[in-house]
Amino acid sequence: MRDLFDKIYKDKGPLGKWASQAEGYFVFPKLEGEISNRMKFQGKDVITWSINDYLGLANHPEVRKVDAEAAAQYGSAYPMGARMMSGHTDLHEKLQNELASFVEKEASYLLNFGYQGMVSTIDALVSKDDIIVYDVDAHACIIDGVRLHMGKRFTYKHNDVESLEKNLERATKMAEQTGGGILVISEGVFGMRGEQGRLKEIVELKKKFNFRLFVDDAHGFGTLGATGAGAGEEQGVQADIDVYFATFAKSLASTGAFIAGDQEIIDYLKYNLRSQMFAKSLQMQLVVGALKRLEMLKTMPELKNKLWENVNALQSGLKERGFDIGTTQSCVTPVYLKGSIPEAMALVRDLRENYGIFCSIVVYPVIPKGLILLRLIPTSTHTLQDVSETLDAFDAIRERLENGTYKRLSAAVMAAMGE
């Protein structure tokens, strides 16, 4: 019998093997200063394109004032206990009611964390006789929730309605044998590619198949739709989403999340969500802070307008200069380049050290080998000057990538890795 830890000593994983070269710089970097369009990285001023603070609320003076006052009034512990036992308050209920109204649902329920809540919601919605059908590019929290499912599950090709239909045919035959139901899961906005889920087409399939639709709208909430209610509002199908999920970690610049749907569905979930039933309630300062942020989202459309001014300037500028940004239909702005992981490291170092541009780097195994994805997140705090500087910097790094400069610079990294 082998030691359980043998695999840890011998194989650090596709990302872990780069830890000695990457940690502290490419992964687990430390940004400093107030959350904004420009922060500090290792003592240098950088334009930050890696903060999901879409509406610029994280450091807004009104938000900071309310957060500070709530912390002073309630501390960081109140209320103590899980919601079902001793952690329920009028303000939790108020936030739930306002969120439900905003996303045009009968009821909503607060979640302590988006990831945890997504996993638990999937687990609560299905039994062993049910079948899950979900997009192959679904977020890790969805995948982990599906893993808990003791019944059958099928993936459909990313945003491919024909593939979804074929899998619904398979799921329908199986559900007829098991006596179960079907849950379809999509994202409102896919966080890496920036594409909206094809919610309108998925809803159309309800005319042919009997299923319920669960949508993770983490990146759509606050950014899409006339009011900011998300991808469902943007596509005109909000009413057809059976269970709607959004997090506070993006547009609301905080911690927590919520699910929303018909009253009877939410009542069922709040009595069966293990991650909420057996976990401490969302702290009051976060609840009060979320109420303030939601109020600003509803009453200050200029925040979303400025966000989209920056999004459009950045994305149109990249396309005009010949960059591949895929088929994004959201604020998420991916830039696809060709190169190895060591080349990607050299490229990102150049961006940060010589051009003052900080953006996230995504490589294999998240995307296929040979591709580099630079992921930019515009916010309402960015300026057109930030966009202009970034476009010029991207022109320069593309030229160096194509002329082999980064390949030469990365040779030492490759040698150190023995590859």
Side-chain angles (χ1 to χ4, degrees):
M1 183 175 71
R2 65 174 177 81
D3 185 339
L4 176 68
F5 289 169
D6 279 350
K7 61 181 180 293
I8 296 174
Y9 302 136
K10 294 176 181 177
D11 183 6
K12 302 299 182 184
L15 293 178
K17 73 174 185 177
W18 299 99
S20 61
Q21 286 78 25
E23 192 161 325
Y25 195 92
F26 302 103
V27 295
F28 301 103
K30 299 173 185 176
L31 283 167
E32 298 176 332
E34 294 185 342
I35 296 172
S36 189
N37 59 317
R38 297 194 180 226
M39 299 174 70
K40 285 190 178 293
F41 177 64
Q42 298 197 339
K44 293 184 170 66
D45 290 326
V46 291
I47 302 172
T48 49
W49 296 103
S50 291
I51 306 296
N52 290 318
D53 181 25
Y54 286 120
L55 300 179
L57 296 180
N59 199 43
H60 195 287
E62 291 185 42
V63 166
R64 291 188 63 160
K65 180 175 182 291
V66 168
D67 285 351
E69 290 173 349
Q73 180 176 356
Y74 296 105
S76 60
Y78 183 80
M80 287 299 294
R83 290 281 295 281
M84 292 186 75
M85 303 301 290
S86 56
H88 188 62
T89 73
D90 287 341
L91 288 177
H92 284 73
E93 285 189 355
K94 181 181 179 182
L95 178 56
Q96 287 174 172
N97 291 337
E98 292 195 12
L99 286 166
S101 176
F102 182 65
V103 298
E104 299 179 351
K105 297 296 180 186
E106 288 182 358
S108 80
Y109 193 66
L110 294 178
L111 308 169
N112 292 354
F113 295 98
Y115 199 112
Q116 171 202 52
M118 174 60 70
V119 170
S120 191
T121 301
I122 295 172
D123 179 50
L125 284 172
V126 294
S127 68
K128 65 180 179 61
D129 294 327
D130 300 321
I131 295 90
I132 297 176
V133 184
Y134 65 105
D135 192 296
V136 70
D137 277 6
H139 189 271
C141 65
I142 295 173
I143 293 171
D144 283 353
V146 171
R147 284 175 175 169
L148 291 178
H149 180 43
M150 293 183 290
K152 292 292 292 184
R153 64 260 195 168
F154 301 114
T155 59
Y156 62 93
K157 295 176 184 178
H158 173 61
N159 258 353
D160 187 324
V161 177
E162 183 179 345
S163 175
L164 171 57
E165 187 167 359
K166 288 179 180 177
N167 279 283
L168 281 171
E169 289 171 354
R170 299 169 66 194
T172 298
K173 291 177 182 177
M174 188 162 291
E176 287 171 350
Q177 295 173 356
T178 64
I182 301 171
L183 177 67
V184 172
I185 308 175
S186 177
E187 295 188 44
V189 173
F190 290 85
M192 285 295 159
R193 301 174 187 248
E195 297 165 342
Q196 291 183 42
R198 297 181 66 179
L199 305 183
K200 190 171 184 178
E201 291 92 335
I202 294 172
V203 164
E204 189 68 19
L205 289 175
K206 284 188 171 187
K207 296 177 181 177
K208 186 175 180 180
F209 300 96
N210 183 14
F211 64 87
R212 295 292 186 171
L213 176 60
F214 183 19
V215 174
D216 173 352
D217 204 23
H219 289 274
F221 178 76
T223 68
L224 294 175
T227 70
E233 182 183 47
E234 178 82 8
Q235 298 182 38
V237 294
Q238 186 75 354
D240 299 291
I241 297 172
D242 297 294
V243 182
Y244 178 89
F245 164 94
T247 177
F248 300 160
K250 308 291 192 290
S251 288
L252 295 193
S254 186
T255 299
F258 72 98
I259 47 175
D262 290 349
Q263 183 72 58
E264 193 166 356
I265 304 305
I266 298 304
D267 284 346
Y268 171 83
L269 287 171
K270 75 181 184 181
Y271 280 92
N272 290 278
L273 284 170
R274 293 173 62 82
S275 67
Q276 306 308 305
M277 294 168 64
F278 302 107
K280 184 182 178 298
S281 175
L282 194 66
Q283 299 99 311
M284 187 66 89
Q285 76 219 50
L286 296 175
V287 173
V288 173
L291 281 164
K292 177 61 178 178
R293 290 160 169 81
L294 182 61
E295 174 197 323
M296 294 173 72
L297 171 57
K298 292 189 290 187
T299 61
M300 298 175 67
E302 64 270 21
L303 297 174
K304 186 162 76 75
N305 293 341
K306 177 57 178 173
L307 164 65
W308 276 98
E309 178 186 340
N310 291 333
V311 171
N312 292 330
L314 178 64
Q315 293 184 358
S316 62
L318 287 165
K319 286 190 286 188
E320 287 167 4
R321 294 176 186 231
F323 285 95
D324 179 7
I325 65 169
T327 56
T328 181
Q329 303 153 316
S330 70
C331 305
V332 178
T333 306
V335 178
Y336 297 95
L337 300 166
K338 293 181 180 179
S340 65
I341 292 178
E343 284 178 292
M345 290 179 174
L347 180 154
V348 169
R349 187 178 291 278
D350 195 18
L351 266 181
R352 294 177 182 177
E353 298 299 322
N354 299 315
Y355 296 96
I357 306 294
F358 188 101
C359 61
S360 296
I361 175 178
V362 183
V363 294
Y364 177 82
V366 180
I367 59 173
K369 286 184 178 180
L371 280 181
I372 301 168
L373 190 162
L374 299 176
R375 180 171 173 263
L376 289 80
I377 303 292
T379 74
S380 65
T381 64
H382 284 102
T383 67
L384 296 181
Q385 180 63 32
D386 295 336
V387 172
S388 178
E389 289 182 32
T390 300
L391 292 174
D392 289 343
F394 270 57
D395 274 339
I397 59 108
R398 176 175 56 187
E399 181 180 351
R400 294 184 180 188
L401 180 64
E402 292 175 349
N403 68 22
T405 298
Y406 296 135
K407 183 172 287 187
R408 292 190 293 274
L409 290 173
S410 67
V413 175
M414 295 291 284
M417 294 298 297
E419 298 194 6

